[in-house]
Each structure stands twice: as C-alpha cells, then as structure tokens.
C-alpha cells in the first residue's frame, strides 16, 4: 500500500480469504505480494465446495504464505452427497490444510434447504473429529441451531480447540456462549462500517480469542466499500480493533497472530 508510515513492520494473518474465487484469477500474484507488503504474512484461504477446496489446496502449494481450509459452505449444501465429504477428507490430508471449512448454517439466504445444510454440517463435524482439525464456522441467522449442534460436538473433541466463528456479528450473549465452548471469534472489515455495533461485543471477548480476517473478495473495509476486498486490507481491521481496545496496531497484530498460530498450527505440516 502507498504512504506506508515509518513504523515497525506488522505481521498479521488473514484467517479467512477466498483467493480461489474468480475475482482473483487475473492478479493473484499481485494480491499476495500486496498482502506481504502490507504486513499480512499468512493467508488462510477457505474452500466452499469440493472444487473450490481443491483450488484452495493448489494455491497453498503455489504460495508459501497461503494455507488452506477445505469444506462445504452451507450455500453449496443442496447437492452434496456423502461421497463429496469423502473427497474433502482426502484433500484435507494435504500438508498445508490447517482447518475444515467453511461450513455452517445460513438461514438468512437459505440458498440450500435447511435439512441439507444441517446434514452437511454434521458430516463435516464428524470428519473434523476424525482428522483432528479445527473448523471454520459460518453462522448467519442460525445461531441457536448452530450452538445446539456445536455444544454437543465440542464435548466429543474436548479438550481440543474446536475452531473459529468467522465474520462474527452476533451479540454479547452469543459471543459468551461461543467462548464457553472454546471457540475463537474472527472479525473483518465490516467492523469499520458506520453503525457497526461490534465494538461493544469485541470489548467483552478475551484478547487471546480474537482473530482478524477479510472474507475477501467480500465485505471490504469502509475505505474500499463497493470494491473488491483483499488480504492486505486485514491491516485496516487490525487498526479498528486497536482503536476499540485501546491498543497499538502492533500489539493487536502480535496478539491476533499468536492466536491464529495457536489455533491453526500453521507450521505443523
Ligand atoms: Zn467466507
């Protein structure tokens, strides 16, 4: 990014990106380079179906900075068979796969029938138990159903850390429940939108459970609204978090990076 202030170099992790999407086909090299320039040293790119997960793995093999999560998004759950979960299981063995997801429930858009969403989520949680990977959860207007399912699942894998609720936009009660279950909460560019009430929730979350993400190409920070989001902009979200928490951006970067390393264990492979 231009106008880099003369400060100590940041080292951040974008814990949720969709680099495999066509929005990045033309300039993925430049996008990754800009991320590194901005101080985003690792990018976790999440698959949304079998093909997209395979592409996420390919990207993780191409770029040293990129790691992959493999899974099936609730929007894609409609036509998923058990065989697709077996494919996800296979590709999850790739050395730079550090999580399963994104998975979850989306009762806002309802692009897939609810029954299918529930089945596909349950299959993926079973797989996560088997392969001992953390999960990346998408929860859109489905909190009570998801929390019911996850509360049972975390008992099965206890004391292992269950994963992260990505793009968290719930209230304090919901955050507290996820904390109790051992989840991390990730926040993206939307916390910079006027009218966002995320700051009240963020202040209640233990510092060691916070993660930064972009969900790019979606949800760009306020400054880039209407444009494509990209991993470099994770820095802007770290700045907003710093403002909310009364910390320096360096401190937020250090802590959220430590958190992401603890959760995903990037260097295990
Ligand atoms: Zn996503």
């Amino acid at each position: 990014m231009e106008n880099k202030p003369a400060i100590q170099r940041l080292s951040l992790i974008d814990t949720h990106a969709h680099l495999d999407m066509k929005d990045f086909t033309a300039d993925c090299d430049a996008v990754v380079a800009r991320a590194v320039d901005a101080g985003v040293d690792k990018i976790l790119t999440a698959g949304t179906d079998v093909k997209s997960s395979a592409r996420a793995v390919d990207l993780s093999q191409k770029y040293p900075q990129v790691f992959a999560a493999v899974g099936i998004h609730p929007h894609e759950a409609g036509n998923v068979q058990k065989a697709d979960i077996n494919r996800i299981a296979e590709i999850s063995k790739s050395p730079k796969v550090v999580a399963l997801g994104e998975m979850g429930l989306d009762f806002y858009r309802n692009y897939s029938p609810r029954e299918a969403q529930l089945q596909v989520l349950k299959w993926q949680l079973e797989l996560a138990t088997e392969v001992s990977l953390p999960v990346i959860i998408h929860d859109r207007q489905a909190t009570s159903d998801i929390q019911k399912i996850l509360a049972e699942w975390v008992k099965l894998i206890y004391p292992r850390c269950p994963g992260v609720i990505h793009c968290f936009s719930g209230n304090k009660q919901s955050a507290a429940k996820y904390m109790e279950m051992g989840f991390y909460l990730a926040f993206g560019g939307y916390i910079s939108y006027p009218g966002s009430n995320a700051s009240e929730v963020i202040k209640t979350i233990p510092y060691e459970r916070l993660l930064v993400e972009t969900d790019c190409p979606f949800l760009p920070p306020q400054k880039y609204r209407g444009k494509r989001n990209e991993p470099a902009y994770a820095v802007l979200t770290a700045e907003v978090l710093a403002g909310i928490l009364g910390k320096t951006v360096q401190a937020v970067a250090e802590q959220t990076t430590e958190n992401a390393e603890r959760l995903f264990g990037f260097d295990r492979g």
Side-chain angles (χ1 to χ4, degrees):
M1 300 205 302
E2 315 92 63
N3 304 324
K4 255 188 270 175
I7 47 169
Q8 181 197 334
R9 191 184 179 280
L10 292 178
S11 181
L12 268 172
I13 299 179
D14 178 1
T15 61
H16 194 107
H18 294 287
L19 289 184
D20 75 287
M21 287 190 177
K22 58 181 187 321
D23 312 66
F24 295 112
T25 312
D27 65 342
C28 201
D29 289 357
V31 165
V32 172
R34 270 199 298 278
V36 173
D37 268 359
V40 178
D41 290 326
K42 290 190 176 98
I43 303 165
L44 177 49
T45 193
T48 54
D49 61 15
V50 171
K51 260 193 196 158
S52 145
S53 297
R55 283 198 300 269
V57 169
D58 288 346
L59 289 166
S60 76
Q61 281 157 0
K62 179 168 180 194
Y63 300 103
Q65 298 85 358
V66 175
F67 293 77
V70 296
I72 293 164
H73 193 286
H75 289 344
E76 312 297 334
N79 299 312
V80 169
Q81 312 294 325
K82 192 68 200 293
D84 297 308
I85 306 297
N86 298 340
R87 269 296 285 147
I88 294 289
E90 256 167 62
I91 55 181
S92 76
K93 292 177 192 151
S94 178
K96 286 180 81 186
V97 172
V98 296
L100 293 188
E102 75 180 90
M103 65 177 79
L105 300 175
D106 194 313
F107 292 167
Y108 176 68
R109 301 233 184 248
N110 281 309
Y111 287 155
S112 300
R114 290 184 181 200
E115 279 314 305
Q117 294 190 37
L118 287 159
Q119 176 62 264
V120 170
L121 172 60
K122 286 177 183 166
W123 279 337
Q124 291 183 94
L125 290 174
E126 283 167 20
L127 177 60
T129 310
E130 236 173 85
V131 299
S132 293
L133 284 172
V135 296
I136 299 177
I137 298 290
H138 172 109
D139 165 13
R140 190 104 193 258
Q141 290 191 11
T143 304
S144 67
D145 293 75
I146 282 202
Q147 289 191 334
K148 232 181 275 161
I149 293 165
L150 292 178
E152 290 307 309
W153 177 67
V154 296
K155 287 184 207 158
L156 297 178
I157 61 151
Y158 184 83
R160 189 160 68 76
C161 178
V164 56
I165 311 301
H166 114 86
C167 257
F168 185 76
S169 59
N171 59 24
K172 286 182 202 172
Q173 289 72 21
S174 156
K177 188 92 195 279
Y178 280 129
M179 289 298 98
E180 212 182 288
M181 289 192 252
F183 279 93
Y184 288 63
L185 296 182
F187 293 87
Y190 58 90
I191 66 171
S192 63
Y193 298 169
S196 159
N197 54 6
S199 71
E200 285 317 303
V201 175
I202 287 166
K203 285 177 193 158
T204 69
I205 299 166
Y207 203 25
E208 62 281 357
R209 297 283 192 91
L210 275 181
L211 297 178
V212 174
E213 65 167 47
T214 61
D215 201 22
C216 65
F218 311 111
L219 295 172
Q222 183 65 18
K223 188 173 165 190
Y224 295 104
R225 251 172 132 172
K227 301 201 174 108
R228 178 188 73 176
N229 196 5
E230 61 175 70
Y233 304 163
V235 175
L236 299 174
T237 295
E239 285 171 7
V240 177
L241 282 175
I244 292 168
L245 297 168
K247 313 260 183 199
T248 63
V249 66
Q250 280 83 3
V252 167
E254 250 171 59
Q255 181 71 48
T256 56
T257 293
E258 194 187 310
N259 297 346
E261 295 281 359
R262 190 187 319 115
L263 172 59
F264 296 115
F266 293 100
D267 298 318
R268 263 196 301 247

